[in-house]
Amino acid sequence: MAGGVHSQPEIQIQVHSRKGGNSVYPVEPATTKTASSGGPAFYREIKHFKKWFPWLIPSFVIVNVVTFLVTMYVNNCPHNSVSCYAGFLGRFSFQPFSENPLLGPSSTTLQKMGALDVNKVVREHQGWRLITCMWLHGGVFHLLANMLSLLVIGIRLEREFGFVRIGVLYIIAGLGGSLFSALFIKSNISVGASGALFGLLGSMLSELIINWTIYANKIAVLVTLVVIIIINLAVGLLPHVDNFAHIGGFVSGFLLGFVFLIRPQFGWVSQRYASRAYSTLAKPKFKMYQMVLWVVSLILLIIGFTSGLVMLFRGVDLNDHCSWCHYMSCLPTSRWSCNTEPVSCMSEQTSNQLTLTCSNSNKTRTYSLSNPSTSKIQGLCTQLCR
């Protein structure tokens, strides 16, 4: 029949609930007999917006938990300390509460397992600690808080963007957090997945910005996300919390989100899945603002990581160039002190007695011990000085 009019395949837009608000996704009509015969149409998600089965983030949680158990096994509190908390757990029991209120191992064990120690990174060329510290935790409370957050944030992102992009983003953001922390904290060790977690949180914000048009409730989602970020960063102002790792991870994740989590515009998607015979003017895959953000973020990431690594291995202390920056990690108040200087003691062994004198406070205490190990002395010193 001459002069017939053909109908162009249509890409349907459906609304899905996501991240506390609604986002819209294109779906492609499935070719079925039911749909073609006038019955109800069935749709399938196109590959650019497919849902992934989240398995990597749960695997990360398992790795963190197993690593903590191994750390507690290595710690062996009954062998290396005079007293332990929850002694019925045997070698898995915790260091005394006065030494580690998070219910976990000693700082000596964490250092042995790969905690971030700037002196060892710079002087002994142990750069691998920038990565290994991400898988260690200071105690049960620390582990539970991080893993619950990882499950809530990470599974959503992995379901939306897949294990490759989220896995790479997690590792690089964690490295960024460790690097930023190492440039400011020189006298203490640091552990935890917080830097990588804040990287995921930062990527959620940049993903919202770079894919702004796919959200139905843009402002509500933005306000909710910003409030969550501010609250989490504010918690980092408490003592004994490495907020530098949080900030470094967040900034890294924020920039990485522009690079890894960019989505094509719907006009291109519709044209891509429609018949070529009915295509008109070709539409670009990404909008101009998306490409600008992608390029700028990639450049900033390369410059930031390169300059940060150079400064770290040259022994640069950014506190010397920023007199107020230490307030970003701990804000002193009348209720707590931000003094986190490492403790040290003078020891004297006489027969079966060990006498320790805290160099920080001049406190002295005598213990009935003969030939105590170095780790045991360090643990007693920490309890005495705190």
Side-chain angles (χ1 to χ4, degrees):
M1 182 173 64
V5 179
H6 298 273
S7 60
Q8 179 175 346
E10 181 183 3
I11 299 299
Q12 300 292 326
I13 304 298
Q14 292 187 345
V15 180
H16 297 272
S17 175
R18 179 164 172 249
K19 295 179 187 172
N22 289 332
S23 56
V24 289
Y25 292 94
V27 291
E28 180 185 10
T31 305
T32 64
K33 292 182 179 179
T34 305
S36 62
S37 61
F42 296 93
Y43 299 96
R44 63 183 175 86
E45 291 181 312
I46 63 176
K47 67 177 183 179
H48 298 283
F49 293 86
K50 66 175 290 188
K51 299 293 183 182
W52 298 76
F53 176 76
W55 61 268
L56 184 64
I57 293 299
S59 298
F60 281 173
V61 172
I62 293 173
V63 170
N64 277 279
V65 172
V66 170
T67 302
F68 180 73
L69 293 176
V70 172
T71 303
M72 293 306 303
Y73 181 85
V74 172
N75 185 67
N76 194 5
C77 181
H79 178 73
N80 295 310
S81 299
V82 175
S83 61
C84 301
Y85 188 76
F88 61 89
L89 295 175
R91 67 182 299 151
F92 290 96
S93 57
F94 311 114
Q95 294 299 120
F97 199 74
S98 58
E99 179 183 348
N100 187 346
L102 297 175
L103 298 183
S106 66
S107 57
T108 303
T109 299
L110 290 172
Q111 189 179 60
K112 184 189 301 181
M113 293 293 292
L116 179 57
D117 185 331
V118 177
N119 289 326
K120 291 186 178 294
V121 171
V122 177
R123 297 177 184 176
E124 301 180 24
H125 307 290
Q126 297 181 2
W128 46 268
R129 289 179 177 271
L130 294 168
I131 298 294
T132 55
C133 67
M134 295 165 45
W135 309 96
L136 297 170
H137 286 83
V140 173
F141 297 145
H142 189 200
L143 179 69
L144 286 177
N146 277 351
M147 292 306 99
L148 289 175
S149 300
L150 179 57
L151 287 172
V152 172
I153 298 172
I155 285 180
R156 283 188 175 183
L157 285 172
E158 186 181 353
R159 186 177 289 132
E160 298 292 338
F161 297 97
F163 69 93
V164 174
R165 283 188 281 183
I166 298 307
V168 173
L169 193 153
Y170 181 90
I171 298 298
I172 298 179
L175 175 60
S178 299
L179 181 57
F180 196 68
S181 173
L183 291 171
F184 283 97
I185 299 179
K186 301 294 184 179
S187 57
N188 294 291
I189 64 172
S190 179
V191 296
S194 301
L197 278 171
F198 270 81
L200 295 181
L201 201 56
S203 71
M204 290 175 69
L205 179 59
S206 56
E207 187 268 326
L208 171 62
I209 295 172
I210 201 168
N211 301 319
W212 186 252
T213 57
I214 74 172
Y215 284 88
N217 298 323
K218 304 176 179 65
I219 303 302
V221 176
L222 177 62
V223 170
T224 301
L225 195 52
V226 169
V227 169
I228 292 173
I229 291 169
I230 291 175
I231 291 175
N232 279 274
L233 288 174
V235 172
L237 298 177
L238 297 172
H240 307 296
V241 178
D242 185 1
N243 212 28
F244 289 120
H246 296 173
I247 296 170
F250 176 81
V251 173
S252 300
F254 182 71
L255 295 175
L256 287 164
F258 289 125
V259 176
F260 288 144
L261 308 186
I262 184 173
R263 288 193 187 275
Q265 58 172 314
F266 285 168
W268 179 88
V269 173
S270 179
Q271 188 178 64
R272 171 72 173 78
Y273 285 87
S275 174
R276 293 185 179 180
Y278 303 99
S279 298
T280 54
L281 183 63
K283 295 182 179 180
K285 185 174 183 179
F286 302 108
K287 294 181 181 294
M288 179 58 69
Y289 84 92
Q290 289 180 300
M291 294 307 300
V292 170
L293 288 172
W294 190 92
V295 172
V296 171
S297 298
L298 185 60
I299 293 173
L300 290 176
L301 282 167
I302 294 173
I303 294 175
F305 274 89
T306 302
S307 57
L309 288 169
V310 169
M311 286 189 292
L312 173 63
F313 287 105
R314 285 186 176 180
V316 174
D317 186 348
L318 288 186
N319 292 293
D320 297 335
H321 306 280
C322 181
S323 59
W324 57 269
C325 283
H326 62 279
Y327 292 120
M328 292 192 300
S329 187
C330 181
L331 195 63
T333 69
S334 58
R335 292 175 175 265
W336 63 70
S337 171
C338 291
N339 183 17
T340 57
E341 289 297 319
V343 297
S344 60
C345 294
M346 297 291 293
S347 63
E348 181 180 354
Q349 183 74 48
T350 304
S351 185
N352 291 331
Q353 289 189 329
L354 172 68
T355 302
L356 293 180
T357 302
C358 179
S359 302
N360 303 61
S361 61
N362 291 323
K363 285 185 182 178
T364 299
R365 188 171 179 180
T366 301
Y367 305 87
S368 297
L369 291 172
S370 59
N371 300 320
S373 63
T374 303
S375 58
K376 183 172 290 189
I377 293 176
Q378 182 60 42
L380 291 172
C381 176
T382 301
Q383 296 176 48
L384 177 63
C385 294
R386 292 180 181 174

